Amino acid sequence: MRRYLAAIIAVLIMAPNAARAANAEGAGLRSCGQFAKDYQQSPLMAEDVYFAWTEGFLSGANQAVKSLSRPLRDLSGLPLDAQKAFIRGYCDQHPLAQYCDAVIELYSQFPPLLDKAAREGARSVAR
């Protein structure tokens, strides 16, 4: 029992160091070539797995931008099918890139999200 407890404590002590060493996890760290291979084998499953990672990354990117007091991106500014097509196209053209490179490029395609005052001003100018 004592050895078991010591092993658990050792794992818990080392875990934060391992977490600090990795700055990201998941499907986004795979290559675009691997995504293409996974997509070829099972399009729906691959897209579900990779795109779930994509949505988390995009949301996290917006939160990071917000913390820097920078304008957010309107993540509803592109239809989901267009987002997925963009990533597939990017990965087809850049098979050696990481999947996350495609997602970062996708993020730059979203329009800026204007705050409420700016939206109201834009509406009144349009009238």
Side-chain angles (χ1 to χ4, degrees):
M1 179 69 164
R2 186 177 266 185
R3 267 198 233 164
Y4 181 72
L5 184 58
I8 290 174
I9 291 171
V11 168
L12 291 175
I13 290 170
M14 290 187 289
N17 292 331
R20 273 187 242 127
N23 61 2
E25 293 290 335
L29 299 184
R30 296 180 187 142
S31 71
C32 276
Q34 183 64 50
F35 166 70
K37 191 180 295 184
D38 293 343
Y39 186 84
Q40 188 176 29
Q41 290 175 352
S42 178
L44 292 176
M45 183 182 289
E47 204 146 63
D48 283 351
V49 169
Y50 283 84
F51 205 73
W53 187 93
T54 298
E55 291 180 310
F57 183 93
L58 294 173
S59 298
N62 249 0
Q63 289 305 307
V65 165
K66 182 179 178 181
S67 73
L68 297 172
S69 299
R70 295 281 177 87
L72 301 172
R73 296 291 181 149
D74 182 359
L75 300 181
S76 65
L78 293 172
L80 288 178
D81 288 343
Q83 294 175 41
K84 292 174 182 180
F86 180 92
I87 290 172
R88 286 192 307 270
Y90 182 97
C91 283
D92 285 346
Q93 294 175 8
H94 305 92
L96 299 178
Q98 285 186 307
Y99 180 86
C100 67
D101 294 335
V103 178
I104 291 167
E105 190 62 32
L106 172 64
Y107 183 77
S108 71
Q109 303 300 306
F110 289 102
L113 181 64
L114 302 174
D115 64 16
K116 186 176 180 180
R119 283 193 305 264
E120 291 301 318
R123 282 189 202 137
S124 59
V125 169
R127 290 181 195 168

